[in-house]
Amino acid sequence: MRLAVKIFSVVMVFVGVGYLFLNPVRTYLGVKSEIAAQERTVSVLQAEDSKLSHEKAALQQPATIERIARQDYGLVMPGQQAFQVLPSPARAVKPAPPKPGSSPWYSPLEFWHHL
């Protein structure tokens, strides 16, 4: 009987020491992984900040502003004329005619045409 009590006491001491040791280690490892994740986030944000700084510096140049105005907005300088080249009618893609007896998926929704 006394041997069982001693074994139980030793086991309880090991469980208590294990709990006291493992809980802080688990917390430490959790905090360490969270710090690593935050450092990765910081490095991504720093790279994006650097990219945006370069873009800001480029947008301070008149040549960059002129290029964007021409390409994206079709603007021209005063006294210039803008031309737009359209595809030839022969190359234009024509929609295929609907097959007889087939109706689009939305045809049941077009009830107001029958009112």
Side-chain angles (χ1 to χ4, degrees), residues 41-85:
T41 302
V42 166
S43 67
V44 167
L45 291 175
Q46 285 175 338
E48 187 174 346
D49 183 52
S50 174
K51 183 183 97 175
L52 290 174
S53 295
H54 290 297
E55 187 175 336
K56 178 185 172 189
L59 288 173
Q60 301 298 323
Q61 303 297 322
T64 305
I65 296 171
E66 182 180 349
R67 180 182 52 81
I68 292 172
R70 287 180 186 276
Q71 287 178 351
D72 296 346
Y73 301 108
L75 300 177
V76 293
M77 297 295 282
Q80 295 179 342
Q81 290 183 347
F83 294 95
Q84 187 174 16
V85 179

Side-chain angles (χ1 to χ4, degrees), residues 83-94:
F83 294 95
Q84 187 174 16
V85 179
L86 300 174
S88 66
R91 296 188 140 224
V93 178
K94 296 178 184 174

